[in-house]
Each structure stands twice: as structure tokens, then as C-alpha cells.
């Protein structure tokens, strides 16, 4: 028995002594990369697993479950209020149209008409005005003043094209005339033209009401006769102040916000701002959500400005986390987007503290793993230091081969590869200068060839620009008229052109100005085609509006749909002392006369938008010494940005002022100006 025990003990000691040798033999079979990485990977995975388990299972799920439900409730509440309120203007227009079709609303009977509009505006407290504009230019309706008083409006032959506003009796009948708005034609208003174009109920964009100074939207409803011809358009000006009040009343925490934007990203209403408008360059303009001065609102709009989707996202701003949800509101022809922003800190402060404690534990675990890795790397990487020293010597141009080439592990392979690389690198440096010189010569030859092509193209464009400028007529300088043309292309060739022609034995000066969108050769060719089209219309005995209509038909048939063509035609009748003009896209000019001062703005859509466009002819009387300037967008854009044309100047000062504005405008667009002075007795050089 004792011999057997001794034999078992010896066998156990032999196994124990062979165990380190077996472990060493097994370890030598694995790469150093695995031996170096394994401890770090194990501890890092433990730390990451701990962080993921505590943060995501213990905190993130709770945050998402609580706040997601709250965001959806807010979105649903705002959507329901919008759905209920925004039906009102459409419903009122529908009531008016149905009453007209049923014969209950007789627009030719003043008492019936006025009592009808008064009763309906009293029934809708958020309606600022309900009205109808007819195809003959008449305009009727009722409006609410800021004091709550209701007025009725008349605009017909009796008022001479002006809008007369009357106070009303208890029965809704007109009494005392209180206000007059001159020369109001409903057919020129955007709500009428849009409804006439789309031929169905529609909404305008949001704007600031000129009386209530509140955000407002106009609903338009066209009516037609049996042949489909438009008779008129019913309209409702609907105040949106209720929306901002409702949003500000929603509890979303100290840092949360709720706001609504339109399809173009402009703010409709918000809980963070009292007014969705701001003053810029002396003008009241809408605020784009992505340009708001409120950092949270701007961040939310920029993060989730994706059309056609209801999405949610978590973002950070100044170290704070925000949860953002959006929902589309697309009803009654309106395309808006609702945003709700909630700050996690406002609702789950204690939970975030627990998350922070967990994060501290995770960081400590990572630090421990880091120090363990440093200890392991010191044991593994000492041979690598010799490679590092040799690499520095090689970088300074000295070749120093590394020993340890007999090792069988990865370090040995790395050493042999380094030595081979060092030899090849020294050979490469020796021949590099020669190869660089050859390549530099090749690149220089290609650069010279490209420069020659560029100079050739520039010379051709410069020649085309000179030919284009040569087509311009010379100025006029006589006792009855002075005319000066200013013409500067943004690039070498221009998309603008202008000209004039004496008619009726030189008593009528016909002139025109063309502006085709874009720059360069293609727009110059399109402008030349437009010039030919206008010249062809001069051989027919047509009025200005008929000429513009004929020109619109030609543009719609010959030019592509994405091209914007603007034009302005005028006639200066010296016998009648009258300026007649028609606009299409170029919607303003400058006048310094007895009857008109400053920028004269006239509506007119671009040519070729539709073949059904009709253009209206306008007129201004003039006397000796009156000044007029017709110009393209290169001038108009600068005027919109704050530049001014002085009044009461001489003709030379007017030309100099236009030259000064054009010098700035030509940096961005083509500049074309026709300056005219009527009745200069003593001619001077122009």
C-alpha cells in the first residue's frame, strides 16, 4: 500500500512540473498580437457590457417610454386643434358659394348682400374679413376692425374703382363712410389670381395682417358660370393668433417648445416667440425656422427638416439632450409641419443622476483596463522599440538595419520586412528626383495647353459680348426727348437687351426691355430670339397688351418650361403727353414726374408660364421735364437691398445714380437701364 501511495505521489509531482512547460509551449504557438490584445479585449468587453446594460436597459428605455408618449400626445393635440380651426375659413367660403348658387346671396342687392356678410363675420370670431371679388372688378364684403367694430366695403362703378368702408347699423346696413382705399382692383390680388389659375379652393401663404398685425392666412374659393368662365372669388382673411396662444398654453417643461412651420420652413406659430415676424432692413418679414435667433427652435428645424415624413430624433445642444418629434398637417389644402421639443432634464432629472453614476463606474472600469493594458504592452513591445529607433534613423536619411531577424514570431517577420523596406526606400529616394522632374515637365505641358484653350474661349466670349453691345441703339438728344441706355453684362455676354423705335411719324416712342434668367452664352442666344420676336410684333397694328399677349404665346411655344423670361414694353406718346406700359416679370420702374414719384410697381407674371395669361395696359400722364427709368433685375435687386434713386435731380444726376447702382448690381446680375427725360429744350451731349 505504501509503495502504491508513493508511486501516485511521484506521478502527481511530474504532472505539476510539466504544466508550466505545456503552457509555455501552447503560448508560443499563438501570435504576439493575440497575446497582447486578449487581456485588453476581455476587460474592455466587460466594461462596455456593464455600460450598455445599465444605461440602455436601466435608463434609455425609461426615457424613451415616458417622453415618447408625451410627445405623441402634444402632436395629437396640436393636430386636432389645427384640423378643427382651419376648416372654418374653407367652410365660410363654401357657405358663401352655396348661398350664391342657391340664389340666397344676391350680390346686386346691397341690403341683402351687406347683411349677409355682416351676419357671417359675426359668427366666426377669428375671421378678419369675408369678401368677394368679381371678374368685372367689383368688390364687396365685411371686415372686423381691431376694436371689434365691423365695417362693410363697396367697390363698384359708384365708387369709381375705390374701396369705400362704412360703419353699420344694428341690422347690418351701411351708414357713415369712414375710410377710402384708392384704386383697389381685386383681379390683381394674389388670392384672386391664384384661385383663377388653380380653379379650386386654395390658401395663401401666412402674412402679417395690416390692421391686426397678427399672422393671417387667406382662403380663396373661385366660382364659375355654366360655361366654366370665372365669375369671381370668395375670400376669407383668417387670423392665426389663436394658434400661438394655444401653443404657449401646452405644458412642455421649462426648456421645451412647440412650433408650426409651413412647407417652405417659415414659422407659422411658436410657443417660444410671441410674433413669427421680425424687422429686417426696415421691412417686416417672416422668420425662417432654420434662421431663428432661438437656438432650440433653430436646432430642431435644422435637425428634422425632411419633407413628407413624420420622424423623431434625439439631438444635443450646449451639453443638453433634446427629444424632437414632428408630424405633418395636410388638410384643407394646407401643408404644414408640427414640431415638439422636450428636454430630458425637465422631466427625468433623478434618472439622469443615476445614469451619471453608472457612467462613472464604467469610466473607472475602462481606466483599470487601460492600466492593465499598459502593463502588458511593456512586456510585449520592448523589441518594437528597436524598430522605432531604426525608423527614426531612416527618416533622417541614415540606413540602420535591425537585428532580431532570427525570430520566428511576428516581430521577426516585421524586422525582416523593415530591413527590406529600408533598402528599397533608399533606392527609391536616389531615383525620385529624376522621376519628379519628368512628371513636372509633363504637367507643365498639359497646363499650358489648358491655358491656351481657356484664353481662346475667353476671346470668343468677349467678341460675342462686343457684337451684342453693338446691336444696342444709340441714345437720343433733342428738344423733345433725351434717352440714355446703360448696359453692363454680369459675364462677358448678357441675358438682358433693350431697344426703341419711333412710330406714328416720330410722335410715339415704342421701347422695350428683356431679361432672360441665367448668365452666359445660352441666355444671350435666348435674348436674341426674344428680340426677334418683339421686332416681328411691331409690323402689326396691335396695342401694347395685345403685343405682350402675342409675345407670351410665342414664348410658351418655343422656350422650355424651366426658363424664366421677363419683359417690359412702353409707349411714350409725345402728342398725348401719356406713358403707356405693360409688364411681364419686370414689375417695376422709376418715375420722377408730376403724377408719380419713386418706384412704380405693377403686377405681371413671367412670359410663357401659361398661354392663357392676359396682360393689362397701364398709363401715366407726363409733362416737360419728367424723368423715367426702366431697368432689369440687376438694378431692382439692389433697390430691394436698400439702394435708393434720388428724386428731384437733373437728367445727368439720374444717369449718374443709375450708373452707381449698376456698378454694384453687375457683380451679381446683368444690368440694363433706359433713362428718359421729356421735353428738354436745350440738348446736351449724352
Amino acid at each position: 500500500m505504501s509503495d502504491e501511495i508513493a508511486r501516485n505521489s511521484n506521478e502527481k509531482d511530474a504532472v505539476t512540473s510539466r504544466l508550466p512547460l505545456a503552457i509555455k509551449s501552447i503560448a508560443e504557438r499563438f501570435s504576439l498580437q493575440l497575446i497582447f490584445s486578449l487581456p485588453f479585449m476581455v476587460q474592455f468587453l466587460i466594461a462596455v457590457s456593464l455600460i450598455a446594460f445599465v444605461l440602455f436597459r436601466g435608463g434609455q428605455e425609461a426615457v424613451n417610454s415616458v417622453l415618447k408618449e408625451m410627445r405623441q400626445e402634444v402632436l395629437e393635440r396640436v393636430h386636432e386643434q389645427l384640423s378643427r380651426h382651419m376648416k372654418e375659413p374653407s367652410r365660410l367660403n363654401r357657405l358663401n358659394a352655396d348661398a350664391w348658387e342657391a340664389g340666397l346671396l344676391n350680390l346686386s342687392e346691397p341690403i341683402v348682400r351687406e347683411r349677409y356678410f355682416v351676419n357671417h363675420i359675426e359668427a366666426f370670431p377669428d375671421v378678419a374679413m369675408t369678401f368677394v371679388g368679381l371678374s368685372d372688378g367689383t368688390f364687396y364684403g365685411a371686415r372686423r376692425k381691431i376694436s371689434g367694430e365691423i365695417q362693410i366695403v363697396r367697390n363698384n362703378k359708384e365708387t369709381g374703382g375705390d374701396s369705400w368702408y362704412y360703419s353699420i347699423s344694428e341690422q347690418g346696413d351701411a351708414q357713415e363712410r369712414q375710410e377710402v382705399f384708392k384704386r383697389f382692383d381685386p383681379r390683381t390680388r394674389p388670392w384672386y389670381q391664384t384661385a383663377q389659375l388653380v380653379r379650386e379652393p386654395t390658401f395663401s401663404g401666412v402674412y402679417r395682417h395690416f390692421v391686426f398685425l397678427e399672422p393671417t392666412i387667406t382662403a380663396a374659393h373661385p366660382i364659375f358660370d355654366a360655361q366654366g368662365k370665372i365669375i369671381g372669388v370668395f375670400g376669407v382673411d383668417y387670423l392665426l393668433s389663436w394658434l400661438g396662444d394655444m401653443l404657449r398654453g401646452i405644458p412642455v417643461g421649462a426648456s421645451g417648445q412647440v412650433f408650426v412651420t409651413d412647407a417652405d420652413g417659415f414659422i407659422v406659430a411658436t410657443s417660444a416667440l410671441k410674433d413669427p415676424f421680425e424687422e429686417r432692413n426696415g421691412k417686416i418679414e417672416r422668420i425662417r425656422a432654420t434662421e431663428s435667433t432661438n437656438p432650440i427652435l433653430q436646432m430642431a428645424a435644422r435637425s428634422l427638416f425632411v419633407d413628407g415624413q413624420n420622424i423623431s430624433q434625439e439631438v444635443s445642444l450646449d451639453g443638453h439632450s433634446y427629444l424632437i418629434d414632428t408630424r405633418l398637417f395636410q388638410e384643407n389644402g394646407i401643408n404644414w409641419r408640427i414640431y415638439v421639443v422636450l428636454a430630458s432634464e425637465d422631466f427625468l432629472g433623478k434618472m439622469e443622476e443615476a445614469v451619471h453614476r453608472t457612467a462613472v463606474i464604467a469610466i473607472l472600469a475602462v481606466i483599470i483596463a487601460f492600466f492593465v493594458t499598459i502593463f502588458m504592452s511593456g512586456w510585449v513591445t520592448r523589441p518594437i522599440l528597436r524598430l522605432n529607433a531604426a525608423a527614426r534613423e531612416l527618416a533622417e536619411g541614415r540606413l540602420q538595419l535591425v537585428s532580431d531577424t532570427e525570430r520566428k514570431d511576428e516581430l521577426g517577420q516585421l524586422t525582416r520586412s523593415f530591413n527590406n523596406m529600408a533598402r528599397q526606400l533608399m533606392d527609391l529616394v536616389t531615383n525620385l528626383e529624376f522621376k519628379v522632374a519628368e512628371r513636372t515637365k509633363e504637367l507643365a505641358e498639359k497646363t499650358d495647353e489648358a491655358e491656351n484653350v481657356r484664353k481662346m474661349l475667353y476671346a470668343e466670349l468677349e467678341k460675342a459680348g462686343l457684337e451684342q453691345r453693338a446691336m444696342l441703339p444709340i441714345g437720343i438728344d433733342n428738344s423733345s426727348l433725351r434717352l440714355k441706355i446703360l448696359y453692363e453684362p454680369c459675364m462677358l455676354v448678357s441675358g438682358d437687351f433693350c431697344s426703341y423705335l419711333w412710330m406714328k411719324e416720330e410722335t410715339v416712342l415704342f421701347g422695350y426691355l428683356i431679361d432672360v434668367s441665367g448668365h452666359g452664352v445660352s441666355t444671350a442666344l435666348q435674348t436674341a430670339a426674344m428680340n426677334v420676336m418683339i421686332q416681328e410684333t411691331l409690323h402689326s397694328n396691335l396695342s401694347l397688351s395685345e403685343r405682350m399677349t402675342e409675345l407670351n404665346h410665342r414664348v410658351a411655344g418655343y422656350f422650355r418650361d424651366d426658363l424664366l423670361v421677363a419683359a417690359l414694353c412702353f409707349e411714350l406718346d409725345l402728342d398725348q403727353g401719356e406713358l403707356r406700359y405693360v409688364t411681364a416679370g419686370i414689375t417695376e420702374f422709376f418715375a420722377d414726374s408730376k403724377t408719380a414719384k419713386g418706384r412704380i410697381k405693377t403686377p405681371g407674371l413671367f412670359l410663357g408660364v401659361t398661354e392663357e395669361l392676359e396682360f393689362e395696359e397701364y398709363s401715366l400722364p407726363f409733362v416737360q421735364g419728367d424723368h423715367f427709368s426702366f431697368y432689369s433685375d440687376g438694378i431692382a435687386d439692389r433697390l430691394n437691398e436698400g439702394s435708393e434713386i434720388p428724386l428731384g435731380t437733373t437728367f445727368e444726376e439720374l444717369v449718374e445714380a443709375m450708373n452707381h447702382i449698376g456698378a454694384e448690381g453687375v457683380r451679381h446680375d446683368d444690368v440694363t437701364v433706359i433713362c428718359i427725360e421729356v421735353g428738354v429744350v436745350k440738348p446736351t451731349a449724352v
Side-chain angles (χ1 to χ4, degrees):
M1 177 66 70
S2 59
D3 294 337
E4 184 177 355
I5 293 174
R7 186 168 59 252
N8 292 336
S9 177
N10 292 333
E11 291 177 356
K12 183 176 181 181
D13 292 339
V15 170
T16 303
S17 62
R18 290 197 300 268
L19 184 60
L21 296 176
I23 295 175
K24 182 178 180 181
S25 176
I26 293 173
E28 289 177 348
R29 297 179 183 178
F30 293 97
S31 66
L32 290 177
Q33 182 179 7
L34 180 60
I35 296 175
F36 172 79
S37 303
L38 188 59
F40 172 78
M41 291 174 60
V42 172
Q43 297 192 45
F44 181 78
L45 288 175
I46 292 174
V48 170
S49 298
L50 179 63
I51 294 173
F53 180 81
V54 176
L55 288 180
F56 288 94
R57 293 185 62 88
Q60 192 66 30
E61 290 181 1
V63 171
N64 291 337
S65 62
V66 173
L67 295 186
K68 182 177 180 180
E69 182 178 358
M70 183 175 182
R71 298 196 305 272
Q72 294 302 320
E73 289 179 357
V74 172
L75 290 174
E76 183 63 30
R77 176 179 174 183
V78 177
H79 191 280
E80 186 274 332
Q81 290 292 324
L82 283 173
S83 180
R84 182 169 63 87
H85 278 81
M86 297 313 296
K87 291 178 181 177
E88 290 192 358
S90 298
R91 184 161 63 92
L92 179 53
N93 273 338
R94 182 71 262 175
L95 289 173
N96 294 340
D98 290 343
W100 172 80
E101 292 177 358
L104 301 177
L105 175 57
N106 189 344
L107 297 176
S108 61
E109 291 290 334
I111 295 178
V112 173
R113 178 188 68 231
E114 292 165 0
R115 289 183 178 181
Y116 178 91
F117 282 117
V118 169
N119 290 334
H120 278 71
I121 198 171
E122 289 176 343
F124 292 81
D126 290 322
V127 172
M129 187 172 187
T130 176
F131 51 85
V132 61
L134 301 180
S135 59
D136 61 358
T138 57
F139 181 72
Y140 304 111
R143 75 170 181 178
R144 193 188 313 275
K145 299 179 67 175
I146 197 168
S147 63
E149 178 186 356
I150 294 176
Q151 294 178 322
I152 62 168
V153 58
R154 296 176 185 170
N155 186 334
N156 50 28
K157 293 181 179 180
E158 177 187 355
T159 67
D162 299 335
S163 293
W164 293 0
Y165 286 82
Y166 296 85
S167 62
I168 60 172
S169 65
E170 294 181 356
Q171 293 77 23
D173 298 328
Q175 289 185 322
E176 180 183 1
R177 188 174 71 184
Q178 295 180 326
E179 297 178 71
V180 175
F181 287 87
K182 295 289 187 179
R183 296 181 181 179
F184 180 81
D185 188 347
R187 296 168 298 183
T188 65
R189 308 305 296 169
W191 53 266
Y192 188 102
Q193 294 178 345
T194 302
Q196 182 181 21
L197 183 62
V198 302
R199 300 182 67 83
E200 63 181 20
T202 184
F203 278 87
S204 72
V206 178
Y207 60 94
R208 194 187 197 208
H209 197 277
F210 72 100
V211 174
F212 290 88
L213 304 180
E214 296 177 1
T216 309
I217 192 171
T218 297
H221 187 110
I223 53 176
F224 305 90
D225 61 15
Q227 289 74 35
K229 185 177 180 180
I230 190 167
I231 295 176
V233 177
F234 283 100
V236 171
D237 291 343
Y238 191 66
L239 299 176
L240 298 177
S241 53
W242 63 268
L243 179 56
D245 296 338
M246 185 268 291
L247 296 181
R248 286 186 286 274
I250 297 177
V252 289
S255 303
Q257 294 186 18
V258 186
F259 61 97
V260 180
T261 65
D262 62 15
D264 295 325
F266 289 97
I267 296 175
V268 177
T270 173
S271 61
L273 304 174
K274 186 175 182 180
D275 193 352
F277 300 89
E278 65 181 2
E279 183 176 353
R280 296 180 179 176
N281 299 322
K283 296 181 180 180
I284 301 298
E285 298 179 356
R286 296 183 62 193
I287 302 174
R288 189 181 292 275
T290 55
E291 300 174 356
S292 171
T293 56
N294 186 291
I296 299 176
L297 191 153
Q298 183 186 101
M299 172 268 299
R302 290 183 174 178
S303 300
L304 297 180
F305 193 73
V306 180
D307 292 334
Q309 298 183 21
N310 297 328
I311 56 178
S312 61
Q313 186 174 334
E314 181 178 1
V315 297
S316 297
L317 178 66
D318 296 332
H320 301 284
S321 177
Y322 296 89
L323 299 169
I324 312 170
D325 269 23
T326 70
R327 181 174 178 180
L328 292 175
F329 177 77
Q330 295 175 323
E331 295 182 8
N332 305 308
I334 297 176
N335 183 16
W336 290 350
R337 182 178 289 275
I338 309 168
Y339 291 77
V340 58
V341 185
L342 297 181
S344 302
E345 298 172 350
D346 293 343
F347 303 92
L348 301 171
K350 292 184 178 180
M351 184 173 292
E352 289 187 354
E353 291 179 3
V355 171
H356 291 162
R357 287 194 297 269
T358 304
V360 171
I361 295 173
I363 292 173
L364 290 176
V366 172
I367 292 174
I368 293 173
F370 174 75
F371 281 108
V372 171
T373 303
I374 291 177
F375 174 77
M376 295 297 296
S377 64
W379 175 67
V380 174
T381 60
R382 289 188 182 91
I384 301 176
L385 297 177
R386 289 191 288 270
L387 282 173
N388 184 42
R392 288 199 299 268
E393 292 291 327
L394 183 62
E396 295 175 0
R398 296 185 295 273
L399 177 61
Q400 178 180 328
L401 298 179
V402 184
S403 59
D404 297 328
T405 58
E406 300 302 323
R407 292 182 61 129
K408 304 301 182 181
D409 56 19
E410 286 85 347
L411 285 175
Q413 297 175 8
L414 179 61
T415 299
R416 290 188 290 273
S417 298
F418 176 82
N419 290 337
N420 292 333
M421 180 195 69
R423 295 188 186 97
Q424 294 174 7
L425 185 60
M426 294 303 294
D427 292 339
L428 178 62
V429 170
T430 303
N431 299 322
L432 183 60
E433 291 185 1
F434 177 74
K435 294 181 179 180
V436 168
E438 287 185 342
R439 184 58 178 164
T440 302
K441 182 179 179 181
E442 293 176 1
L443 292 176
E445 292 175 352
K446 292 182 178 180
T447 302
D448 292 341
E449 182 179 352
E451 179 65 18
N452 292 334
V453 172
R454 188 190 66 79
K455 290 181 178 179
M456 184 184 301
L457 291 175
Y458 185 87
E460 291 297 325
L461 287 175
E462 188 175 34
K463 182 178 179 182
L466 293 175
E467 292 292 337
Q468 195 177 41
R469 189 182 295 272
M471 295 172 62
L472 294 171
I474 62 174
I476 301 174
D477 189 356
N478 55 46
S479 60
S480 60
L481 188 71
R482 299 173 71 186
L483 183 147
K484 176 72 173 180
I485 294 177
L486 308 178
Y487 183 81
E488 290 296 335
C490 179
M491 300 173 66
L492 294 176
V493 292
S494 175
D496 292 357
F497 195 75
C498 68
S499 187
Y500 66 85
L501 178 69
W502 283 105
M503 304 171 66
K504 296 183 181 180
E505 299 180 356
E506 298 192 0
T507 61
V508 175
L509 179 71
F510 170 77
Y512 60 90
L513 193 149
I514 307 167
D515 187 353
V516 178
S517 62
H519 309 293
V521 176
S522 61
T523 56
L525 294 176
Q526 292 153 357
T527 300
M530 284 292 302
N531 186 40
V532 172
M533 291 180 185
I534 293 179
Q535 293 292 334
E536 289 176 350
T537 64
L538 297 178
H539 300 292
S540 55
N541 188 18
L542 299 175
S543 66
L544 278 178
S545 59
E546 290 171 339
R547 280 200 186 108
M548 193 65 79
T549 301
E550 174 64 22
L551 193 60
N552 179 66
H553 284 302
R554 296 191 180 198
V555 170
Y558 298 144
F559 287 83
R560 64 179 188 269
D561 295 339
D562 61 344
L563 185 67
L564 295 178
V565 179
L568 182 147
C569 297
F570 65 89
E571 288 182 351
L572 204 68
D573 194 329
L574 300 181
D575 284 346
Q576 300 295 326
E578 182 181 43
L579 170 66
R580 298 181 290 272
Y581 59 94
V582 177
T583 63
I586 300 177
T587 57
E588 67 173 75
F589 65 92
F590 174 78
D592 188 359
S593 66
K594 298 294 184 182
T595 58
K597 299 286 186 181
R599 297 164 67 185
I600 309 301
K601 298 190 176 183
T602 308
L605 292 179
F606 288 93
L607 294 174
V609 174
T610 173
E611 292 189 7
E612 305 300 325
L613 284 179
E614 294 183 0
F615 299 91
E616 185 174 353
E617 180 178 312
Y618 301 88
S619 64
L620 284 175
F622 62 79
V623 298
Q624 177 178 322
D626 285 352
H627 294 161
F628 300 98
S629 290
F630 303 93
Y631 43 79
S632 62
D633 283 350
I635 296 294
D637 291 344
R638 301 284 74 75
L639 297 179
N640 292 333
E641 294 179 0
S643 298
E644 294 184 357
I645 306 174
L647 293 168
T649 64
T650 65
F651 183 66
E652 290 77 8
E653 291 171 339
L654 173 62
V655 172
E656 178 61 27
M658 298 305 289
N659 260 322
H660 179 72
I661 298 173
E664 176 64 24
V666 78
R667 300 178 183 176
H668 311 281
D669 201 352
D670 301 323
V671 171
T672 302
V673 185
I674 302 176
C675 295
I676 297 175
E677 181 181 59
V678 181
V680 176
V681 177
K682 182 180 179 180
T684 59
V686 178

